[in-house]
Amino acid sequence: MPRSIDVILRGEIVDVPKPGDKAVFTGKLVVVPDIVQLLKPGEKSTSSNMDTSKMQRNAQKSMDGVAGLRRTGVKDLSYKMVFIASSVHTGDTRFGFNQGSDAADDEEAEKDINKMFTMHERHEVTRMKQEDNLYQKLAKSIAPSVYGHLDIKKGILLQLFGGIQKKTKEGIKLRGDINICIVGDPATAKSQFLKYICSFLPRAIYTSGKASSAAGLTASVLKDPETGDFCIEAGALMLADHGICCIDEFDKMDIKDQVAIHEAME
């Protein structure tokens, strides 16, 4: 079964990773009492109900640790593991490295990107630049196990590079992103293309249209089991922001769920 674990960030590293990022956390494992297991069904955890500001000093002492065992009756203490992170390292943005947005940062960003490649790799890229028929060769290198379909491969290649963002005179922003809809008979390697893109892009999410709803694609409101508050969980389109969201079986989706993607597809 897939497991999830809570990671606690403190101090300066709060909000360093964004939803959808692949991040490396360094820290230590600790165990904390699982308060949700101790509660009766339908009962809220006391930590959110108590107003600690009006308490006397000695009244607060009784809250330290796991108290209230008399009230709940004799129960087994169940613990859950959490991870306290001391540092976070994110492999950010679309291609796995940070892209400088300002003109001043451009040179520094270029130096950082250059450091990631060896001298041999840099010469290889410069040599490729002078080759004839480079567009054709790059397109053929996408999903090499699939024979033919050169037009689709060219489309996918252009989608990976993306277009140029434009701004109209009225100030409306036009996105430079390219969306592709692959239509064809069964067993013509449509899913192979999607899975190939997900295998090497850092921010790519693969989802099936038959199983996903509008809430699962955009965002859904869930109840936090510990505090009882409502929180928003990001869907597939949010997690694949600045990346590519691959939706398989698009025609099997309900019409009302397809409407949720129209804004993102524009």
Side-chain angles (χ1 to χ4, degrees), residues 127-169:
R127 190 185 58 74
M128 277 168 63
K129 199 166 72 173
Q130 280 129 19
E131 274 186 31
D132 303 334
N133 228 348
L134 179 64
Y135 177 40
Q136 200 103 358
K137 284 180 182 168
L138 279 174
K140 281 183 179 170
S141 69
I142 285 178
S145 56
V146 179
Y147 179 76
H149 295 308
L150 195 61
D151 287 346
I152 296 175
K153 290 183 182 182
K154 282 180 179 175
I156 291 172
L157 181 68
L158 293 177
Q159 184 191 31
L160 290 173
F161 283 114
I164 301 167
Q165 288 191 345
K166 299 186 182 105
K167 207 171 185 180
T168 58
K169 290 173 186 172

Side-chain angles (χ1 to χ4, degrees), residues 75-95:
K75 285 189 182 179
D76 284 343
L77 262 186
S78 56
Y79 286 90
K80 65 174 180 181
M81 282 193 160
V82 296
F83 192 81
I84 296 184
S86 55
S87 74
V88 186
H89 174 73
T90 56
D92 200 10
T93 68
R94 184 167 179 174
F95 296 109

Side-chain angles (χ1 to χ4, degrees), residues 22-93:
K22 290 184 179 169
V24 179
F25 296 99
T26 312
K28 57 175 185 273
L29 266 176
V30 294
V31 287
V32 294
D34 196 354
I35 300 170
V36 182
Q37 295 285 329
L38 286 172
L39 298 177
K40 293 173 185 147
E43 189 181 20
K44 272 191 177 180
S45 67
T46 50
S47 58
S48 58
N49 303 356
M50 281 191 191
D51 186 11
T52 49
S53 57
K54 294 173 186 166
M55 276 189 174
Q56 300 298 321
R57 191 170 172 191
N58 51 3
Q60 276 181 332
K61 281 183 185 165
S62 64
M63 286 176 55
D64 296 342
V66 180
L69 289 179
R70 254 179 313 182
R71 188 171 56 80
T72 55
V74 179
K75 285 189 182 179
D76 284 343
L77 262 186
S78 56
Y79 286 90
K80 65 174 180 181
M81 282 193 160
V82 296
F83 192 81
I84 296 184
S86 55
S87 74
V88 186
H89 174 73
T90 56
D92 200 10
T93 68

